[in-house]
């Protein structure tokens, strides 16, 4: 039954609803009005027959005819009562004596017979009243009035009546116009429902309500399941939509129902969503700090048929995006490290092959001892101090890259770095070390004497990283911009390395600064990282 009802069109539902409502209300109203009309006619008839009865009972001719009931007087009484009956359009006028015998009646054959109805006894006792009883003409409204002589002695009574059948006929004539108005109302209701359904269908783009509800459920499901946080406001700045991801990112603890309908500034104090709506200018890929969370957000005004109706913001947690970037950076650095080692290994194989082919045994032995000795010394220095295998392997790969570029890369490690359990923190350290070393490699690539020093000092509380080179250095003008996203002096599509370094350091609650080289040539970066941030299981955003 429910499935059948849902499949009905909006037009059919509206017509059926209007028809049912109008029919029921009109029928109820008409029944009520007809009842009022009938009661009004009945009351009017009561009053009219009562007045006529009083007039006839006080007539001198009536009194005289009853006191002296001669043939002439009774004939005169019959004529006068009939004349009054026809003029007043009542159904009967009956005069009877104290014995209840009729002295006049519309039907002459009933004159001389006793009155019927059973309601005449009070009249013979001198009482004036009205009643409803069944006489010879059927159920009627009957009015009784006693007749007195000059000595104030009752000598008879007058009965004036109107049949209920006639009263109902008069009332039905009035109700005919009421029923006609009912039919006209139903016709108008059907026409209006057709026009209304057509207008509603136009507003709903020709969709039925069930289809609209299905689209709304789909939209709600999409908003609820997307990874981005979404917040929508109307023109007055009230929140009309917010998904669970937005509440999670912004750390909003209220239920969704509690947030919707609230002012955006009360829920998210420093949002610019209302400003974007007022200005009508969209903002894309903007960083913003809300409730201590840095987000990357797009804010766009909402336009419907060219009219501004609100604004929408979609955003992601910058921490999560940085982690993705760091993961990608880490993968790229692992690939670069493997590529460098593979390239260096191939070069050495070619040298070994050449020496063996030419039967230069002593030179081959010396060359192999040199390679093995250098690699053992380099690997031993890093491996003894850096116990984390990923970071240790990464730093060892930098020796291969440096040798490939002809750079003297020296590591000075004081202390011991234990294995790190949180892989995201490992990626952050690789991002910091890799970008700083790669920047130094780029800085010294055109020098004859290429030198890079990496100093690592691990104590009880802090990991200190210092990377310096003898390159061209950083100008004072560039110093204030080097950590900005997209800023670079090396050309287009650069300027992401130091930005990721700063983001990773912020994630670990650390600090970075440029070292004072005391007028020496080159650049030096010094990073301080608290060990409690490196070895805790979960990093808390700073």
């Amino acid at each position: 039954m429910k499935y059948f009802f849902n499949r009905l069109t909006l037009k059919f539902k509206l017509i059926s609803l209007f028809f049912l409502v109008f029919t029921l209300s009109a029928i109820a109203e008409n029944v009520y009005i007809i009842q009022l009309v009938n009661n009004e006619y009945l009351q009017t008839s009561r009053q009219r027959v009562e007045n006529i009865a009083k007039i006839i009972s006080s007539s001198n001719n009536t009194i005289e005819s009853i006191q002296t009931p001669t043939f002439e007087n009774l004939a005169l009484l019959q004529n006068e009562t009939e004349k009054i009956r026809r003029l007043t359009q009542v159904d009967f006028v009956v005069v009877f004596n104290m014995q209840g015998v009729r002295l006049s009646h519309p039907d002459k054959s009933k004159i001389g017979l006793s009155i019927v109805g059973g309601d005449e006894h009070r009249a013979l006792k001198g009482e004036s009243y009205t009643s409803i009883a069944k006489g010879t003409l059927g159920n009627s409204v009957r009015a009784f009035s006693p007749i007195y002589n000059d000595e104030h002695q009752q000598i008879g009574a007058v009965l004036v009546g109107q049949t209920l059948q006639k009263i109902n006929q008069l009332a039905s004539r009035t109700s005919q116009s009421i029923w006609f108005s009912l039919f006209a109302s139903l016709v108008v209701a059907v026409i209006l429902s057709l026009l209304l359904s057509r207008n509603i269908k136009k507003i709903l783009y020709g969709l039925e309500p069930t289809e609209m509800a299905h689209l709304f459920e789909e939209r709600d499901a999409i908003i609820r399941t997307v990874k981005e946080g979404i917040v929508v406001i109307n023109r007055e700045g009230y929140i009309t939509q917010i998904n669970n991801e937005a509440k999670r990112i912004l750390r909003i603890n209220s239920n969704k129902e509690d947030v919707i309908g609230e002012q955006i500034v009360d829920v998210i104090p420093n949002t610019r969503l209302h400003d974007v709506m007022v200005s009508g200018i969209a903002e894309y890929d903007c960083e913003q700090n809300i409730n201590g969370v840095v987000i990357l957000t797009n804010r766009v005004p909402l336009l419907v048929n060219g009219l501004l109706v609100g604004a929408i913001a979609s955003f992601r947690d910058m921490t999560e995006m940085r982690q993705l970037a760091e993961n990608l950076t880490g993968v790229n650095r692992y690939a670069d490290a493997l590529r460098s080692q593979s390239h260096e290994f191939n070069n050495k194989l070619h040298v070994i092959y050449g020496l063996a082919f030419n039967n230069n045994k002593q030179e081959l032995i010396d060359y192999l001892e040199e390679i093995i000795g250098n690699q053992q010394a380099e690997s031993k220095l890093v491996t003894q101090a850096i116990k984390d295998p990923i970071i240790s392997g990464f730093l060892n790969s930098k020796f291969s890259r440096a040798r490939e570029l002809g750079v003297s890369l020296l590591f000075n490690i004081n202390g011991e770095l234990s294995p790190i359990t949180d892989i995201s923190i490992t990626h952050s350290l690789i991002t910091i070390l890799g970008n700083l070393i790669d920047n130094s490699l780029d800085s010294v690539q055109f020098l004859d004497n290429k030198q890079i020093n990496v100093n690592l000092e691990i104590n009880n509380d802090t990991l200190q990283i210092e990377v310096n080179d003898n390159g061209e250095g950083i100008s004072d003008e560039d110093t204030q911009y080097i950590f900005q996203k997209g800023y670079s002096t090396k050309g287009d599509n650069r300027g992401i390395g130091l930005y990721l370094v700063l983001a990773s350091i912020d994630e670990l609650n650390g600090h970075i600064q440029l070292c004072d080289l005391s007028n020496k040539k080159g650049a030096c970066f010094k990073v301080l990282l608290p060990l409690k941030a490196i070895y805790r299981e979960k990093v808390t955003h700073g």
Side-chain angles (χ1 to χ4, degrees):
M1 184 66 182
K2 182 178 179 181
Y3 175 76
F4 172 75
F5 182 79
N6 290 334
R7 295 196 63 184
L8 297 177
T9 63
L10 176 64
K11 181 186 296 185
F12 183 81
K13 289 179 182 178
L14 284 176
I15 293 175
S16 302
L17 178 63
F18 272 86
F19 184 83
L20 182 62
V21 171
F22 269 86
T23 301
L24 293 178
S25 61
I27 290 176
E29 181 179 358
N30 281 296
V31 169
Y32 177 71
I33 292 175
I34 291 172
Q35 185 65 33
L36 288 179
V37 170
N38 288 339
N39 292 337
E40 184 64 25
Y41 270 104
L42 182 62
Q43 186 63 28
T44 302
S45 297
R46 282 179 180 271
Q47 188 64 42
R48 189 155 59 89
V49 294
E50 185 178 8
N51 293 336
I52 295 171
K54 288 181 179 180
I55 291 173
I56 294 175
S57 66
S58 61
S59 170
N60 291 327
N61 291 335
T62 303
I63 296 173
E64 180 64 26
S65 298
I66 295 177
Q67 282 185 328
T68 310
T70 62
F71 180 79
E72 291 80 6
N73 287 342
L74 292 177
L76 179 62
L77 177 64
Q78 175 68 12
N79 291 334
E80 287 187 353
T81 54
E82 278 300 293
K83 183 178 180 181
I84 293 172
R85 183 184 68 81
R86 287 192 293 270
L87 289 174
T88 57
Q89 295 184 347
V90 294
D91 289 324
F92 55 88
V93 176
V94 178
V95 178
F96 56 94
N97 57 22
M98 295 299 294
Q99 287 73 40
V101 177
R102 301 186 187 101
L103 302 179
S104 69
H105 195 276
D107 185 359
K108 291 183 179 181
S109 63
K110 292 184 172 52
I111 296 176
L113 300 177
S114 297
I115 192 169
V116 296
D119 55 343
E120 71 278 3
H121 302 292
R122 292 164 56 193
L124 295 175
K125 295 180 181 180
E127 185 177 349
S128 296
Y129 57 94
T130 60
S131 66
I132 296 178
K134 184 176 182 180
T136 56
L137 299 179
N139 290 324
S140 307
V141 176
R142 298 148 62 100
F144 293 89
S145 181
I147 302 173
Y148 295 94
N149 58 18
D150 295 338
E151 287 78 23
H152 201 66
Q153 292 178 343
Q154 184 176 0
I155 57 177
V158 178
L159 167 61
V160 179
Q162 185 86 62
T163 61
L164 294 180
Q165 181 181 2
K166 186 174 183 180
I167 294 174
N168 292 334
Q169 288 176 351
L170 293 173
S172 65
R173 293 178 184 176
T174 304
S175 64
Q176 287 178 358
S177 60
I178 298 174
W179 286 108
F180 177 78
S181 67
L182 168 62
F183 177 76
S185 330
L186 291 175
V187 173
V188 172
V190 172
I191 295 174
L192 289 177
S193 63
L194 287 172
L195 295 175
L196 180 60
S197 64
R198 181 178 300 176
N199 183 258
I200 292 176
K201 289 274 284 186
K202 183 178 179 181
I203 295 174
L204 299 180
Y205 300 99
L207 297 174
E208 292 292 331
T210 52
E211 295 173 324
M212 289 293 295
H214 185 65
L215 286 177
F216 177 81
E217 291 172 356
E218 285 183 350
R219 187 209 67 168
D220 192 57
I222 291 171
I223 293 176
R224 189 171 58 250
T225 55
V226 293
K227 187 64 176 176
E228 287 76 15
I230 294 177
V231 178
V232 184
I233 65 171
N234 58 17
R235 283 182 58 86
E236 288 72 33
Y238 291 99
I239 297 175
T240 60
Q241 186 63 261
I242 184 171
N243 65 353
N244 293 330
E245 187 67 12
K247 291 174 56 185
R248 183 190 70 81
I249 294 174
L250 300 179
R251 302 172 184 173
I252 299 173
N253 296 322
S254 304
N255 294 327
K256 180 178 178 182
E257 293 74 13
D258 297 334
V259 175
I260 291 179
E262 294 291 326
Q263 274 285 344
I264 185 69
V265 294
D266 295 334
V267 179
I268 311 174
N270 59 335
T271 180
R272 281 185 43 78
L273 191 56
H274 191 272
D275 298 333
V276 169
M277 182 190 65
V278 173
S279 66
I281 301 175
E283 298 179 354
Y284 297 99
D285 297 329
C286 299
E287 290 189 31
Q288 189 177 16
N289 190 313
I290 296 179
N291 295 335
V293 180
V294 179
I295 62 174
L296 185 67
T297 178
N298 299 316
R299 295 180 284 260
V300 182
L302 286 178
L303 299 176
V304 177
N305 296 327
L307 298 177
L308 184 67
V309 298
I312 180 172
S314 61
F315 48 88
R316 290 287 302 270
D317 190 341
M318 277 296 295
T319 301
E320 297 174 356
M321 297 188 69
R322 285 169 183 163
Q323 288 177 348
L324 292 175
E326 289 166 1
N327 290 339
L328 180 59
T329 302
V331 171
N332 291 335
R333 295 197 182 283
Y334 296 149
D336 288 339
L338 291 174
R339 191 179 301 113
S340 297
Q341 288 181 329
S342 176
H343 187 264
E344 184 183 24
F345 181 70
N346 286 332
N347 290 335
K348 291 176 179 177
L349 282 179
H350 287 303
V351 174
I352 293 171
Y353 175 78
L355 293 174
F357 183 80
N358 294 320
N359 200 22
N360 297 322
K361 295 182 180 180
Q362 187 59 45
E363 288 84 350
L364 177 59
I365 294 172
D366 294 340
Y367 181 69
L368 289 174
E369 288 179 350
E370 180 183 358
I371 293 174
I372 295 171
N374 289 339
Q375 288 186 340
Q376 285 180 342
E378 293 169 351
S379 177
K380 184 177 180 181
L381 174 67
V382 173
T383 306
Q384 286 181 345
I386 307 300
K387 301 299 183 181
D388 187 274
I390 296 178
I391 297 177
S392 176
F394 178 76
L395 294 178
N396 279 320
S397 71
K398 288 302 175 183
F399 284 116
S400 299
R401 179 61 176 164
R403 281 193 296 269
E404 183 180 352
L405 297 175
V407 178
S408 174
L409 176 60
L410 300 177
F411 277 91
N412 180 24
I413 304 175
N414 183 16
E416 183 179 296
L417 185 66
S418 302
I420 300 171
T421 57
D422 192 333
I423 190 64
S424 64
I425 295 178
T426 303
H427 286 315
S428 296
L429 291 176
I430 289 175
T431 298
I432 297 169
L433 289 165
N435 278 291
L436 293 179
I437 294 173
D438 285 349
N439 284 347
S440 294
L441 290 173
D442 289 340
S443 178
V444 301
Q445 62 180 323
F446 299 113
L447 300 179
D448 294 330
N449 182 22
K450 307 170 185 179
Q451 294 183 359
I452 298 175
N453 294 317
V454 178
N455 300 318
L456 299 178
E457 183 173 343
I458 306 103
N459 55 38
N460 293 331
D461 300 322
T462 307
L463 167 61
Q464 178 176 308
I465 303 171
E466 185 177 305
V467 180
N468 62 75
D469 59 68
N470 63 340
E472 296 181 356
I474 302 172
S475 67
D476 294 337
E477 181 181 353
D478 294 330
T479 300
Q480 55 183 327
Y481 302 113
I482 57 176
F483 293 107
Q484 290 185 4
K485 183 180 180 181
Y487 182 81
S488 176
T489 60
K490 301 175 183 178
D492 297 333
N493 300 321
R494 303 291 295 269
I496 193 67
L498 289 178
Y499 170 77
L500 291 177
V501 168
L502 181 61
S504 298
I505 292 172
D506 287 341
E507 289 296 317
L508 298 176
N509 298 326
H511 175 69
I512 185 172
Q513 65 183 26
L514 287 171
C515 308
D516 184 7
L517 295 178
S518 302
N519 298 324
K520 291 182 180 180
K521 192 176 180 181
C524 176
F525 289 91
K526 184 176 182 179
V527 178
L528 296 176
L529 299 174
L531 290 180
K532 63 179 182 180
I534 295 176
Y535 290 109
R536 57 190 169 185
E537 294 183 358
K538 185 176 181 180
V539 178
T540 303
H541 302 305

